Amino acid sequence: MNIRRIGAAVAALPLLLAMSACGDDSASGGSGDEPYVAIVSKGFQHQFWQAVKQGAEQQAEKEGVRITFEGPATETDVEDQVNMLSNALAKSPDAIGFAALDSKAAEPLLQQAQSQDIPVIAFDSGVDSDIPVTTAATDNKAAAAEAAKHMAELIGNQGKVAMVVHDQTSKSGTDRRDGFVEWMEQNAPDVELLPVQYGDGDQTKSADITKSIIQSNPDVAGIYGSNEGSAIGVVKGVEESGKQGITVVGFDSGQAQIDAINNGVMAGAITQNPVGMGEELVKAAVKAIDGEDLPDTIDTGFYWYDKSNIDDAEIQAVLYQ
């Protein structure tokens, strides 16, 4: 992370505010009758984020509020995300929705939001700050523990297991890593966890990491991918390695993962409820704008799905292909 450039983005905020005050339509925000919620996500490249956006738009229409939804090109672009948050603040929205790529990097801007009395609603990932009025997210530690439990059962509670995690800076990344590791350490003493590898949620990088893991550990029994990009990368890596018999467990439910479960390459995965997450985000923003009290967290739920239940109505409702 380039702290100096992030600092420059923070320093540019007064200029952006001045542009807004000068009547730049592109920077206008919460001054009209219709409440305005600016949403900055962790990315835009995964179907997961498109599903969150869909839920936010659906709820915004119901609530009669205007939203914008943006995110950086990749989930490693912390600097771009900080710039987006800075630009969003300059539009003086009535509330901000924010899913942090780096739970600490945006702290100065969150303080700026607080000083402007703009409520911040965290979503997907928590923020290492007490400024957000609530966080709408999956209980990622519990969800990762559920993935670990299924992995252990599928490999007979013994053998080497590798982990390809999307990052070590976001709360979702650390919780999905720690939840998986802690469950294994407490419940599966004969499972050997290999050192955690980080693939930035990038499919190609995660596939290369997976092939390297298999080459170095030909006896690896299972591999866990902690988000959509990581899980698809693990599937690709296993397929490209030509290795048979590796149990793959993942996170999220884009079309490529659904296909991998149906064709047997992936044993199963945790699916979140991204449409519901987007809906809860906007509901919380409206309540915050109205001055209502909110709980510290809003659990948006998760499900384990595999070939046995993928067609169940409860699961079909939260898949986002």
Side-chain angles (χ1 to χ4, degrees):
M1 179 180 62
N2 188 327
I3 298 296
R4 182 180 299 175
R5 295 180 70 181
I6 290 172
V10 175
L13 182 59
L15 175 60
L16 292 165
L17 286 169
M19 289 171 62
S20 177
C22 289
D24 181 351
D25 288 342
S26 66
S28 65
S31 58
D33 294 334
E34 189 178 46
Y36 169 47
V37 181
I39 301 172
V40 179
S41 77
K42 290 170 66 177
F44 227 83
Q45 77 277 36
H46 295 154
Q47 288 177 302
F48 177 84
W49 296 115
Q50 296 299 320
V52 175
K53 179 173 181 283
Q54 177 191 338
E57 290 174 340
Q58 288 174 181
Q59 192 63 34
E61 187 173 352
K62 291 178 185 175
E63 302 274 3
V65 302
R66 182 169 67 89
I67 68 167
T68 51
F69 193 106
E70 59 185 339
T74 75
E75 294 186 20
T76 60
D77 290 338
V78 175
E79 179 190 340
D80 284 352
Q81 192 192 44
V82 169
N83 282 329
M84 288 175 179
L85 182 59
S86 178
N87 290 336
L89 274 171
K91 297 175 185 175
S92 298
D94 295 292
I96 283 182
F98 184 56
L101 278 175
D102 186 313
S103 63
K104 295 182 179 177
E107 179 65 19
L109 290 172
L110 296 179
Q111 292 174 359
Q112 183 73 39
Q114 188 176 48
S115 71
Q116 292 178 234
D117 293 325
I118 299 172
V120 176
I121 293 85
F123 68 103
D124 181 65
S125 285
V127 177
D128 193 12
S129 165
D130 59 2
I131 291 176
V133 294
T134 189
T135 299
T138 304
D139 183 338
N140 284 301
K141 267 199 166 182
E146 183 73 10
K149 183 184 79 173
H150 283 277
M151 172 68 87
E153 291 173 353
L154 288 163
I155 63 172
N157 291 300
Q158 60 183 351
K160 290 182 179 177
V161 170
M163 303 170 62
V164 181
V165 175
H166 50 288
D167 66 60
Q168 53 187 326
T169 56
S170 72
K171 195 74 166 58
S172 68
T174 56
D175 280 355
R176 291 180 198 175
R177 175 196 65 198
D178 296 345
F180 192 91
V181 169
E182 289 168 8
W183 190 94
M184 286 294 190
E185 290 178 345
Q186 293 168 11
N187 299 283
D190 293 329
V191 170
E192 178 188 350
L193 289 177
L194 297 174
V196 179
Q197 304 285 320
Y198 297 96
D200 298 332
D202 180 84
Q203 295 178 24
T204 302
K205 185 174 180 180
S206 298
D208 289 342
I209 288 171
T210 298
K211 286 184 282 188
S212 177
I213 289 171
I214 294 170
Q215 186 173 23
S216 302
N217 301 274
D219 57 342
V220 66
I223 305 177
Y224 162 66
S226 69
N227 77 345
E228 182 178 341
S230 306
I232 295 171
V234 170
V235 166
K236 288 183 175 179
V238 170
E239 289 180 323
E240 291 170 7
S241 75
K243 185 79 173 179
Q244 301 293 316
I246 297 175
T247 297
V248 176
V249 164
F251 226 102
D252 294 325
S253 57
Q255 185 61 56
Q257 287 169 269
I258 293 169
D259 292 343
I261 286 174
N262 282 326
N263 66 28
V265 179
M266 177 176 277
I270 297 293
T271 181
Q272 304 179 78
N273 182 4
V275 173
M277 189 182 294
E279 291 173 342
E280 293 298 332
L281 160 62
V282 173
K283 283 182 190 176
V286 171
K287 289 179 180 178
I289 292 168
D290 291 341
E292 295 184 31
D293 291 332
L294 289 162
D296 290 340
T297 59
I298 300 170
D299 186 351
T300 55
F302 65 85
Y303 303 84
W304 168 263
Y305 73 106
D306 56 24
K307 211 168 183 176
S308 71
N309 69 348
I310 195 169
D311 293 324
D312 291 356
E314 183 179 54
I315 299 300
Q316 284 290 311
V318 293
L319 303 182
Y320 47 90
Q321 72 272 30

